[in-house]
């Protein structure tokens, strides 16, 4: 950004200058971190879902099995993962909030984060491919 100064004024002024050699990174540089966070949130969602009462757990049981497969393999960029996560969220939204309000809220929140992360990383990769394709056409 700004070059580090080599001289400083000596007049009657007082300045405090702090130089940080820290670069700001965008989402593209953070894709691995985004997916690692998605895995962490999926584990937390599974923990909350596992604590639900059986009547609340029963409607989402099949989707949880599907999600477990993706979590085991750490595969969050597939359409199958997004479909299972969206379906589980829809089923969680149908539950009676009086059954286990904190657990349902926690499960939904932690399930929503990896779903959003999956979409974000997929969008970043698609943007990279589109830019590469565009650059290849103009050479």
């Amino acid at each position: 950004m700004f070059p580090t100064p080599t001289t400083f004024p000596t007049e009657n002024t007082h300045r405090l200058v702090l130089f940080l050699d820290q670069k700001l990174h965008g989402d593209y540089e953070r894709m691995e971190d985004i997916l690692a966070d998605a895995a962490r949130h999926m584990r937390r969602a599974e923990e909350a879902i596992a604590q639900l009462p059986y009547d609340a757990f029963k409607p989402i049981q099949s989707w949880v099995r599907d999600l477990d497969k993706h979590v085991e393999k750490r595969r969050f960029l597939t359409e199958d993962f997004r479909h299972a996560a969206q379906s589980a969220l829809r089923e969680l939204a149908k539950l009676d909030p009086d059954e286990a309000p904190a657990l349902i809220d926690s499960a939904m929140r932690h399930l929503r984060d990896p779903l959003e992360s999956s979409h974000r990383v997929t969008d970043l990769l698609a943007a990279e491919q589109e830019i590469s394709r565009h650059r290849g056409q103009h050479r």
Side-chain angles (χ1 to χ4, degrees), residues 120-136:
R120 180 65 179 152
V121 172
T122 303
D123 292 344
L124 289 167
L125 292 172
E128 178 186 34
Q129 288 176 350
E130 185 63 24
I131 289 168
S132 175
R133 193 172 18 255
H134 178 75
R135 286 182 180 156

Side-chain angles (χ1 to χ4, degrees), residues 13-38:
T13 61
H14 178 80
R15 293 186 180 140
L16 178 62
V17 181
L18 180 63
F19 295 97
L20 299 174
D21 191 26
Q22 183 178 5
K23 296 178 182 174
L24 299 176
H25 298 289
D27 282 352
Y28 185 78
E29 290 83 12
R30 295 184 48 249
M31 278 195 282
E32 293 91 354
D33 292 336
I34 293 170
L35 287 177
D37 290 344

Side-chain angles (χ1 to χ4, degrees), residues 39 42-43 46 60-78 80-82 84-85 111:
M42 274 307 304
R43 285 190 298 273
E46 286 178 327
I60 61 171
Q61 189 173 10
S62 65
W63 298 116
V64 170
R65 277 195 303 267
D66 287 348
L67 288 171
D68 285 343
K69 294 174 191 173
H70 295 287
V71 173
E72 280 180 25
K73 295 178 183 177
R74 308 279 193 291
R75 303 280 172 140
F76 303 110
L77 297 180
T78 65
D80 290 339
F81 167 76
R82 288 189 287 275
L111 194 53

